[in-house]
C-alpha cells in the first residue's frame, strides 16, 4: 500500500492550463467514478480542485500513478508530455506532508488562508459519496484536518494575511480616487463573490449589482448587501453602467467577451474600467487585458499583492512545519503498522479472534446458568470473573517464569499495557497527563 499525490498548482502551471483541469464540486463524484473505472485495479482516490490547484490523492498500488497521469491529461485535452512538464508526483511521507501543508494554508497563494480547509473537506465528502474514500485516505485527511486545526490554534499563520478579495479592493482603491463614487457589478453568487461583496460593501460604493445564472441565489445575496439583481444574459448590454466588475462563476467558457467590453468602453466614453476575474477557467476573455482603458486582474495577477505581510509570518511558518512533521511521522507509523510485513495487523487480528472466542465461551456458560435458574447477580459475577481470568492467565503465567531479567522486562511491559491509568493517578505522579493513546 502506497499513498501518492499527482497535481498541478499555481506554483507549477499557468492559469490557462489550470483552467483545463478545473472541476466543480458536483463534477467530482462522476469524475472519480470515470477515473477509477479506467484502471484495472481501482485505488482509493480523492480529487481536490480549486482556483489554485487540481490534485488527485490516491492510495493503493504505486504503479497506478503513470496511468493516472495519462487519464488526467486526456481529461484536460492535453498531451501527457505537456502535463508531465507542469505536474508533480509525491509519494508516501512527501504526499502526507503536502496534504498537511495544503490543509494548513502553507501551500496557498494567500499564506495561511482558511478557505482551502473547507474546500478539502468538501472534496473528501464527495470522494466518500463516490465510494472512493478508503480507510487509508480517510486516515490521511482526518489527520490533515487535525493538523490544520492545531496549526491554526497554535500559531499566528493566518495573522495579517490579505485575501484575494481584499487585494481586489486594494487595487481598486489605487485606480479610483474614492470607492464611494463607483458602481460595482459582481458576476456569480458563490463563496468568492460573497467575500468580494463583503469587502466592497465595507467601502460603501455608490451602487452594487449581482448577476447570476440562478436568480434566486443572486437575489438572496443581493438582499444581504442592498444590491440590485440583473440577469446574467443582460450583463453584456449593461456592462457600461459599472466602473468595477468582479467575476467568479463555474462556467467552462468566458462569459464576458472582448466585444462586449469594447462596446461598454465606447458607451462610457472610455472612462476606465476595473475588472477582476477570480474564476478558473477564465470568466473574462484574455484579450480584454490588452484594452487601454481596462485594468484586468486574474488570480495570478493578485499574487504579488497578497504576499504583503508574508515576511511577518515566517516564524509562524516554522512553528507550523514542526507540527506538520510530527503529523507526518504519526501517519507514516500508522501506515507501517498496517503493512502485513510488520506483523502487527495479523497479531491484532489474532488477539481480536482470541478475545471473541473467550467472550463466546463465557456467554454460553452464563446462558446455561440462567437456564438453570441461577440468580442474575451470580451469573454476572461468574461472567466477569471468567473473562478476567482468561484474559490475565497468560500474562500472570509469564510473570512467574524465566530468570530475573526476563521477569523484570515482562513486568515493565505489563505495567505499560495494563496500569497506564493507575500510574497516572498514583500519588507518585499526581500531575501526569493521561496518555491520549490509552
Amino acid at each position: 500500500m502506497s499513498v501518492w499525490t499527482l497535481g498541478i498548482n499555481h506554483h507549477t502551471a499557468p492559469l490557462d492550463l489550470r483552467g483545463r483541469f478545473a472541476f466543480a464540486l458536483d463534477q467530482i463524484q462522476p469524475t472519480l467514478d470515470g477515473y477509477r473505472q479506467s484502471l484495472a485495479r481501482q485505488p482509493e482516490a480523492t480529487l481536490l480542485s480549486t482556483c489554485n490547484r487540481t490534485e488527485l490523492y490516491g492510495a493503493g498500488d504505486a504503479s497506478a500513478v503513470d496511468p493516472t497521469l495519462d487519464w488526467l491529461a486526456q481529461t484536460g485535452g492535453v498531451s501527457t508530455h505537456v502535463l508531465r512538464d507542469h505536474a508533480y508526483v509525491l509519494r508516501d511521507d512527501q504526499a502526507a506532508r503536502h496534504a498537511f501543508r495544503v490543509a494548513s494554508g502553507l501551500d496557498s497563494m494567500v499564506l495561511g488562508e482558511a478557505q482551502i480547509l473547507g474546500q478539502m473537506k468538501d472534496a473528501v465528502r464527495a470522494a466518500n459519496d463516490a465510494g472512493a474514500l478508503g480507510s487509508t485516505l480517510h486516515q490521511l485527511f482526518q489527520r490533515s484536518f487535525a493538523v490544520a486545526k492545531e496549526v491554526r490554534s497554535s500559531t499566528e499563520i493566518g495573522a495579517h494575511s490579505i485575501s484575494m478579495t481584499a487585494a481586489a479592493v486594494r487595487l481598486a482603491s489605487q485606480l479610483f480616487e474614492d470607492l464611494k463614487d463607483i458602481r460595482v457589478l459582481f458576476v456569480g453568487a458563490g463563496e468568492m463573490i460573497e467575500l468580494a461583496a463583503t469587502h466592497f460593501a465595507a467601502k460603501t460604493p455608490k451602487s452594487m449589482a449581482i448577476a447570476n445564472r440562478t436568480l434566486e441565489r443572486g437575489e438572496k445575496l443581493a438582499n444581504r448587501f442592498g444590491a440590485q439583481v440583473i440577469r446574467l444574459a443582460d450583463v453584456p448590454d449593461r456592462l457600461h453602467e459599472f466602473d468595477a466588475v468582479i467575476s467568479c462563476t463555474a462556467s467552462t467558457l468566458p462569459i464576458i467577451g472582448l466585444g462586449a467590453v469594447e462596446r461598454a468602453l465606447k458607451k462610457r466614453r472610455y472612462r476606465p474600467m476595473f475588472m477582476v476575474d477570480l474564476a478558473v477557467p477564465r470568466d473574462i476573455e484574455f484579450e480584454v487585458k490588452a484594452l487601454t482603458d481596462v485594468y484586468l486582474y486574474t488570480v495570478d495577477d493578485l499574487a504579488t499583492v497578497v504576499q504583503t505581510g508574508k515576511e511577518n509570518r515566517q516564524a509562524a511558518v516554522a512553528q507550523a512545519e514542526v507540527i506538520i512533521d510530527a503529523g507526518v511521522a504519526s501517519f507514516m507509523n500508522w501506515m507501517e503498522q498496517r503493512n502485513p510485513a510488520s506483523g502487527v495487523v495479523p497479531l491484532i487480528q489474532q488477539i481480536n479472534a482470541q478475545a471473541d472466542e473467550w467472550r463466546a465461551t463465557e456467554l454460553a456458560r452464563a446462558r446455561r446458568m440462567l437456564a438453570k435458574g441461577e440468580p442474575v447477580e451470580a451469573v454476572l459475577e461468574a461472567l466477569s470473573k471468567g473473562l478476567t481470568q482468561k484474559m490475565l492467565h497468560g500474562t500472570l503465567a509469564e510473570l512467574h517464569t524465566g530468570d530475573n531479567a526476563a521477569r523484570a522486562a515482562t513486568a515493565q511491559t505489563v505495567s505499560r499495557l495494563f496500569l497506564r491509568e493507575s500510574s497516572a493517578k498514583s500519588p507518585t505522579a499526581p500531575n501526569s497527563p493521561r496518555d491520549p493513546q490509552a
Side-chain angles (χ1 to χ4, degrees):
M1 174 68 72
S2 175
V3 293
W4 42 267
T5 305
L6 167 65
I8 56 173
N9 63 18
H10 59 288
H11 298 301
T12 69
L15 186 151
D16 287 326
L17 183 62
R18 298 203 306 273
R20 288 179 170 273
F21 299 96
F23 300 93
L25 186 59
D26 59 1
Q27 294 176 305
I28 289 182
Q29 183 171 338
T31 301
L32 284 176
D33 288 340
Y35 160 61
R36 298 179 77 223
Q37 289 171 11
S38 72
L39 301 177
R41 299 180 63 180
Q42 297 185 353
E44 299 179 29
T46 300
L47 176 61
L48 173 64
S49 182
T50 73
C51 292
N52 294 329
R53 71 185 68 248
T54 293
E55 296 175 337
L56 263 166
Y57 292 83
D61 192 335
S63 64
V65 173
D66 285 341
T68 297
L69 184 69
D70 294 336
W71 171 86
L72 189 59
Q74 183 178 12
T75 301
V78 302
S79 69
T80 300
H81 174 73
V82 168
L83 180 58
R84 184 178 285 111
D85 286 345
H86 295 278
Y88 44 86
V89 176
L90 305 169
R91 303 174 191 272
D92 298 325
D93 60 329
Q94 292 303 311
R97 177 171 283 102
H98 180 74
F100 294 173
R101 296 186 84 255
V102 169
S104 301
L106 268 66
D107 196 59
S108 297
M109 185 179 289
V110 181
L111 182 63
E113 60 97 4
Q115 187 180 8
I116 185 63
L117 184 58
Q119 292 169 325
M120 286 188 77
K121 289 182 177 180
D122 288 341
V124 170
R125 196 174 298 113
N128 186 57
D129 291 342
L133 189 73
S135 59
T136 301
L137 287 188
H138 172 79
Q139 193 70 211
L140 172 68
F141 285 111
Q142 292 307 311
R143 289 169 183 259
S144 296
F145 303 152
V147 165
K149 181 179 180 180
E150 185 176 355
V151 167
R152 183 70 51 181
S153 60
S154 302
T155 75
E156 295 187 357
I157 192 67
H160 314 298
S161 65
I162 301 175
S163 69
M164 303 289 283
T165 50
V169 174
R170 177 176 293 189
L171 288 171
S173 299
Q174 294 173 4
L175 178 62
F176 300 108
E177 186 174 341
D178 192 341
L179 296 187
K180 292 182 179 180
D181 297 328
I182 71 170
R183 294 178 171 85
V184 187
L185 171 65
F186 301 97
V187 183
E191 185 177 357
M192 287 294 286
I193 290 297
E194 184 176 355
L195 289 171
T198 301
H199 283 285
F200 272 94
K203 301 296 182 180
T204 61
K206 182 179 292 185
S207 68
M208 299 197 309
I210 307 288
N212 191 55
R213 196 176 306 277
T214 306
L215 270 180
E216 182 181 356
R217 187 168 180 179
E219 288 173 349
K220 183 178 180 181
L221 191 60
N223 290 336
R224 176 179 168 187
F225 294 104
Q228 65 176 132
V229 181
I230 67 175
R231 294 191 308 153
L232 193 62
D234 293 338
V235 167
D237 294 330
R238 298 189 59 181
L239 204 56
H240 66 281
E241 300 175 18
F242 303 97
D243 306 291
V245 178
I246 317 298
S247 186
C248 187
T249 73
S251 175
T252 57
L253 295 172
I255 56 177
I256 300 177
L258 175 63
V261 179
E262 288 177 327
R263 291 192 296 273
L265 283 174
K266 187 175 181 179
K267 290 181 180 179
R268 291 172 57 84
R269 297 181 183 274
Y270 297 97
R271 284 182 292 114
M273 290 183 70
F274 174 76
M275 307 185 81
V276 177
D277 189 350
L278 296 171
V280 180
R282 297 175 188 267
D283 276 348
I284 303 173
E285 283 188 344
F286 173 77
E287 292 78 8
V288 170
K289 198 176 185 71
L291 296 176
T292 303
D293 299 299
V294 173
Y295 297 82
L296 172 61
Y297 298 89
T298 66
V299 287
D300 286 357
D301 295 325
L302 296 176
T304 55
V305 181
V306 301
Q307 297 307 314
T308 303
K310 183 176 180 179
E311 296 77 11
N312 299 331
R313 298 193 296 277
Q314 290 309 307
V317 171
Q319 293 175 317
E321 295 287 9
V322 171
I323 296 171
I324 288 168
D325 286 344
V328 171
S330 176
F331 175 71
M332 294 310 296
N333 181 58
W334 178 83
M335 287 281 290
E336 176 61 27
Q337 290 179 355
R338 286 171 54 84
N339 183 356
S342 69
V344 174
V345 173
L347 179 59
I348 291 173
Q349 293 172 339
Q350 291 173 15
I351 291 172
N352 284 330
Q354 180 66 82
D356 283 342
E357 183 181 331
W358 288 335
R359 182 176 62 85
T361 299
E362 292 305 317
L363 277 174
R365 179 172 171 238
R367 290 189 179 102
R368 288 195 299 270
M369 292 176 66
L370 289 171
K372 292 178 181 179
E374 297 279 353
V376 173
E377 286 298 324
V379 174
L380 290 175
E381 184 73 16
L383 176 65
S384 63
K385 280 187 176 181
L387 279 174
T388 302
Q389 288 172 354
K390 282 180 169 60
M391 290 180 177
L392 293 181
H393 173 74
T395 300
L396 298 177
E398 284 294 318
L399 287 171
H400 289 93
T401 59
D403 55 25
N404 289 338
R407 286 198 300 273
T410 300
Q412 190 174 26
T413 300
V414 169
S415 295
R416 187 173 71 253
L417 295 176
F418 290 96
L419 304 179
R420 285 184 177 188
E421 188 171 353
S422 299
S423 62
K425 295 179 180 179
S426 68
T428 58
N431 298 317
S432 300
R434 180 171 180 177
D435 188 333
Q437 300 300 319

